[in-house]
Amino acid sequence: MTALKTKTLLAVAASALALAACGGDGTSELQNPGDTGSNPGTGGGGNNGGGNGGGSTGACPTHPNVTKVTVGTEEHCRISGEITTNLTLTAGPAYQLIDNVKVGKDVGFNGQAAGGVSAVLSIDPGVRIYGGTRIAQLSIQRGSRINAQGTAAQPIVLSSADAMGYATTLGLANARSPLAAGVRDDPYSGEWGGLQILGRGVINNCPAAPAVCEAEAEGGSGKYGGNVPNDNSGTLKYVRVEYAGVRFSETNELNSIAFWGVGSGTTVDYIQAHNGGDDTVEFFGGSVNAKHLVLTGADDDSFDWTFGWTGKVQHVVIAQNPLQAAGDAGYEADNNELGFDILPRSAPTISNVTLVGNTTAGAGLRLRRGTAGKLYNHVVSGNFQRGLRIDDAPTFAQADAGNLSLRSFYISTATPFHNAQAQAVFAKDANNRTGASTLSANTAGGKAYINGVNENGVTSVDPRTIDAFFDAAPYAGAVRDPASNWTLNWTRWLND
């Protein structure tokens, strides 16, 4: 997780993607000083949900930002620039993103910014999109929306030119071939920028504390933040983002999927971020909610939050990739780096999560910098350095006040706790347990994330009693048994 940063233009050579994503338990969220009242914030078939390989058929949409181009023997649809009129991508052709493709022009926190234009990008089931340059990103501006609704049989895939077999033809630096069918070893990441969604939700990262806090996102993505908690940035459903994430510098990075001040009117359900060059998913303030997340192979942290995020999340599988040596924490959870008690405080509510470590680096959960949060029904397993780490006096103060709580946890890492203080927070709930893992994989030799007898033996919290947002899932962890495995057929790598 990176942080509030100095405003930086995207001016990076393609070779910059060869840099490793920042890692280690000491990662910092270095913050941008900001403007007055506007402050910068910080493959194959089967279980792979359809192949990423070549093949492009069908006509390109007629639109000012879409151009037909020839890539090898195929015709692709190139998308570039600022999209200021509605655009629909239909299945058939391959779509190529060039540099920073922005949907809409920022309308400001109040919808009245000079020159602001709202637009909607609609993406049909089965559409394949790839980064045509190493710094390509898709950024949804404030006041605009993405309507990407795939299905389990036809997920929407945003991937790299390498994974789709076009990188060499395009002459991209460090081009590689797609993985062969059935290959499990998948060390690749950071091959394009990723998906950035910018909303008008509430954030807390303005040092000057103006009436309405705005910020400049990293990577040149745009401005975010405002005073619309239920802001609607669209819908993501059955969407995979693969091999994304760019580290331009220590203080300027793109995550695979970033939610920048996104409001609770946005729908996020069944998404995967795989092999991210930085974090797989990060929430920068706002109150967006999400269900059914698969976060695999982060080069840094898997699930990050900061700057006052207050959303609700349920059903999450986090699995680190042993070939991503820079993989760090499962959760890296902050309130605000520059002021641990700045309000509104980060305070998400999260239930039914399984975290599986595979790099021996970082903690399963690292809670710090004054974050609050209600965390229920978690399973923490695998080769994390520690199962639970809690840092900083203001974070412990939130636990003492009951604003940070862990209930119905099962930790089976070799070292469950970073220190006695973290263990004491864990011990506040009589249903929290440690013990041996009985997780199993969907396929022989695959990643173990499906509950066994020990995980299902935890006395759980019924999440329906917490909030109407939550589904009935009275068990610890993300996947109770093979019969209820919601990750099948649309995800990549997890079930190989």
Side-chain angles (χ1 to χ4, degrees):
M1 174 162 61
T2 60
L4 206 112
K5 327 225 170 188
T6 54
K7 201 169 181 178
T8 308
L9 296 177
L10 282 174
V12 181
S15 60
L17 284 176
L19 292 170
C22 77
D25 260 356
T27 52
S28 173
E29 192 80 24
L30 301 173
Q31 301 198 28
N32 230 356
D35 314 320
T36 301
S38 170
N39 164 40
T42 73
N47 287 330
N48 275 340
N52 283 355
S56 179
T57 60
C60 295
T62 300
H63 191 277
N65 295 90
V66 181
T67 306
K68 184 170 66 176
V69 296
T70 300
V71 178
T73 60
E74 298 179 7
E75 291 185 343
H76 293 186
C77 306
R78 174 175 290 172
I79 307 173
S80 60
E82 291 181 315
I83 297 171
T84 57
T85 57
N86 295 349
L87 170 61
T88 297
L89 308 184
T90 57
Y95 294 92
Q96 178 192 98
L97 302 177
I98 296 297
D99 298 335
N100 190 354
V101 176
K102 295 185 175 183
V103 177
K105 292 185 176 182
D106 179 33
V107 302
F109 74 87
N110 58 2
Q112 299 177 16
V117 178
S118 297
V120 178
L121 174 64
S122 299
I123 307 176
D124 287 352
V127 165
R128 298 174 305 123
I129 302 169
Y130 70 91
T133 64
R134 292 302 193 202
I135 59 172
Q137 63 171 294
L138 179 61
S139 54
I140 314 303
Q141 302 300 294
R142 285 189 298 184
S144 292
R145 289 183 286 123
I146 181 171
N147 182 26
Q149 299 195 52
T151 66
Q154 292 185 295
I156 294 164
V157 179
L158 291 83
S159 193
S160 68
D162 308 76
M164 291 192 174
Y166 305 127
T168 299
T169 302
L170 293 171
L172 299 185
N174 304 311
R176 54 97 177 174
S177 298
L179 294 174
V183 173
R184 286 178 171 171
D185 292 343
D186 191 359
Y188 305 106
S189 64
E191 295 173 337
W192 66 291
L195 175 61
Q196 316 296 310
I197 303 179
L198 302 102
R200 297 185 296 159
V202 178
I203 60 177
N204 74 5
N205 56 329
C206 293
V212 178
C213 183
E214 300 177 281
E216 189 76 26
E218 298 168 37
S221 300
K223 280 191 173 182
Y224 70 105
N227 59 356
V228 186
N230 64 345
D231 191 39
N232 182 1
S233 294
T235 298
L236 297 178
K237 191 166 186 179
Y238 288 107
V239 174
R240 292 202 324 252
V241 177
E242 309 170 345
Y243 309 108
V246 178
R247 184 187 183 198
F248 298 107
S249 72
E250 290 284 348
T251 57
N252 189 25
E253 300 168 343
L254 293 174
N255 300 310
S256 296
I257 307 174
F259 297 96
W260 300 90
V262 177
S264 62
T266 307
T267 299
V268 180
D269 199 6
Y270 295 99
I271 65 170
Q272 181 182 18
H274 176 63
N275 276 21
D278 189 48
D279 306 325
T280 41
V281 165
E282 184 157 4
F283 297 88
F284 295 88
S287 52
V288 62
N289 307 315
K291 287 181 179 176
H292 301 103
L293 311 185
V294 176
L295 311 177
T296 50
D299 253 340
D300 191 10
D301 308 305
S302 299
F303 186 143
D304 283 18
W305 68 78
T306 188
F307 300 154
W309 176 55
T310 58
K312 297 181 282 286
V313 172
Q314 187 182 23
H315 310 301
V316 183
V317 173
I318 292 172
Q320 292 184 323
N321 184 344
L323 298 181
Q324 303 294 95
D328 193 9
Y331 284 4
E332 188 173 78
D334 294 4
N335 179 40
N336 188 303
E337 174 185 4
L338 292 186
F340 296 172
D341 288 316
I342 291 176
L343 300 178
R345 188 184 302 275
S346 294
T349 306
I350 305 173
S351 184
N352 298 103
V353 180
T354 297
L355 304 97
V356 181
N358 277 301
T359 66
T360 70
L365 292 85
R366 188 179 186 190
L367 312 174
R368 62 181 190 174
R369 295 174 176 168
T371 190
K374 304 289 188 179
L375 311 180
Y376 304 91
N377 300 335
H378 281 50
V379 170
V380 186
S381 182
N383 294 325
F384 288 114
Q385 188 179 65
R386 302 286 188 272
L388 173 64
R389 177 173 179 173
I390 303 176
D391 294 337
D392 311 311
T395 316
F396 285 105
Q398 290 302 303
D400 291 341
N403 300 323
L404 173 64
S405 61
L406 291 72
R407 295 180 58 193
S408 298
F409 269 59
Y410 188 76
I411 297 181
S412 57
T413 57
T415 304
F417 309 109
H418 179 67
N419 55 27
Q421 284 180 291
Q423 185 173 3
V425 173
F426 184 82
K428 288 175 181 285
D429 184 60
N431 294 327
N432 288 343
R433 295 171 49 192
T434 62
S437 173
T438 55
L439 294 177
S440 64
N442 179 67
T443 51
K447 276 65 67 179
Y449 64 93
I450 301 170
N451 281 4
V453 62
N454 287 355
E455 292 79 19
N456 284 332
V458 174
T459 300
S460 64
V461 175
D462 182 353
R464 293 173 300 178
T465 66
I466 302 167
D467 189 279
F469 165 82
F470 293 99
D471 300 327
Y475 51 86
V479 180
R480 185 175 195 170
D481 51 45
S484 57
N485 191 350
W486 51 266
T487 74
L488 295 179
N489 301 318
W490 63 276
T491 60
R492 186 176 185 87
W493 184 79
L494 182 67
N495 296 304
D496 292 352

